[in-house]
Amino acid sequence: MRAALVQLTVSDDPATNLAETLALVRAAAAGGGGFVLTPECTNALSSSRDHQHAVFHLEADDPTLAALRAEANALGIWLLIGSLGLKTTDPDGRFANRSFLVGPDGGVVARYDKIHMFDVTVSETESYRESAGYRPGAQAVVAETPFGRVGLSVCYDVRFPYLYRALAQAGADILTVPAAFNHITGAAHWEVLLRARAIETGCFVLAPAQTGFHPEAAGKGRQTHGHSLAIAPWGEVLADGGDQPGVVFADLDLSRVALARARVPSLTHDREFTAP
């Protein structure tokens, strides 16, 4: 299977973002991508809760989801929509940060709501409280496909290795980590975290990312790290998307998963222990 990682620089306008996303998804398919992946926040990045309420939709009404499902069907590809910001029916009004795996018929094969919320202070002038606007998920997800089992995650999840161990032990061969990774933490940690998750689990890791400066009509905007990565089960970087929007490709040979796990079968070596 040829994977194609779509790297975006979205704004806070879902309609503009959709047009750009569709163009790159088509380019990915034209380049032979049978499994195309987009980043976290494919529909929009905004720091304004009021603006999010104005442009986000419930899943059933979301135009980005509908258009990308139709495009997957038209192109006959598997498509991971890295995540969409969606309204929910929760009483507190918080959104969902939801990833979708879409089959070649346009059907939703799996959904995953981001479990770990990005509540951090990365510098004296830059802090985030994702949990203030988004409700965390509670269910890990592994999906069956003809080319392997896919374990879903989103961005900040990558700092929690127990999630990926659980996905791999549940049968995942490929781990997806769509992200809008902060430019400061990304420069320091992005590649090493993703390589570690691949090495620990013996999985392919596919991490499509947002990149560059993301303008907002109703906020100051933010900057993301880019460098979408495809990583092999032994930890080698197969593809790096750099810092510009576009598409990078990686060919996945699933026999490499079995080989890596046979060489170091650590997924079978768990032991119980008493915590300090």
Side-chain angles (χ1 to χ4, degrees):
M1 172 61 75
R2 169 165 276 202
L5 280 60
V6 171
Q7 188 157 282
L8 297 171
T9 303
V10 301
S11 68
D12 60 359
D13 177 12
T16 299
N17 298 332
L18 176 58
E20 295 171 356
T21 300
L22 286 170
L24 287 176
V25 168
R26 290 165 186 155
F35 183 25
V36 178
L37 303 90
T38 72
E40 183 183 25
C41 303
T42 289
N43 57 341
L45 263 175
S46 173
S47 59
S48 166
R49 301 300 179 209
D50 288 341
H51 184 77
Q52 289 169 334
H53 276 289
V55 301
F56 287 172
H57 298 79
L58 293 168
E59 178 183 323
D61 305 318
D62 187 74
T64 300
L65 177 59
L68 289 175
R69 289 180 62 185
E71 195 64 26
N73 177 243
L75 297 171
I77 59 170
W78 285 84
L79 176 64
L80 181 89
I81 305 170
S83 82
L84 301 175
L86 296 170
K87 289 179 177 177
T88 71
T89 58
D90 283 9
D92 63 9
R94 286 191 294 175
F95 307 110
N97 191 344
R98 184 169 297 158
S99 187
F100 295 88
L101 181 63
V102 178
D105 63 353
V108 174
V109 175
R111 296 169 176 81
Y112 167 74
D113 284 4
K114 183 178 181 181
I115 291 173
H116 300 96
M117 297 286 98
F118 190 57
D119 291 355
V120 304
T121 300
V122 296
S123 72
E124 291 182 359
T125 60
E126 196 167 353
S127 64
Y128 300 89
R129 294 294 178 268
E130 188 176 16
S131 64
Y134 290 83
R135 57 117 196 256
Q139 179 65 53
V141 176
V142 175
E144 294 276 354
T145 76
F147 53 88
R149 298 182 185 91
V150 180
L152 277 62
S153 71
V154 175
C155 200
Y156 189 54
D157 284 333
V158 77
R159 293 184 180 272
F160 300 87
Y162 52 76
L163 172 60
Y164 298 89
R165 188 171 190 84
L167 293 170
Q169 289 178 330
D173 308 297
I174 300 165
L175 302 171
T176 59
V177 194
F181 221 77
N182 175 267
H183 65 293
I184 296 172
T185 58
H189 300 152
W190 172 244
E191 181 177 323
V192 69
L193 284 168
L194 291 167
R195 293 184 69 195
R197 299 298 84 85
I199 292 165
E200 292 163 352
T201 62
C203 288
F204 282 97
V205 171
L206 302 177
Q210 297 280 355
T211 191
F213 181 76
H214 304 270
E216 298 184 23
K220 63 181 180 179
R222 60 180 285 191
Q223 188 174 348
T224 54
H225 176 63
H227 294 279
S228 298
L229 294 177
I231 301 173
W234 199 243
E236 312 98 306
V237 174
L238 302 176
D240 184 330
D243 61 3
Q244 297 299 312
V247 183
V248 292
F249 298 91
D251 293 315
L252 310 184
D253 176 358
L254 270 293
S255 69
R256 298 181 69 177
V257 174
L259 178 60
R261 292 176 180 175
R263 293 172 75 183
V264 182
S266 60
L267 290 175
T268 66
H269 290 169
D270 290 282
R271 291 185 57 83
E272 293 185 4
F273 57 91
T274 303

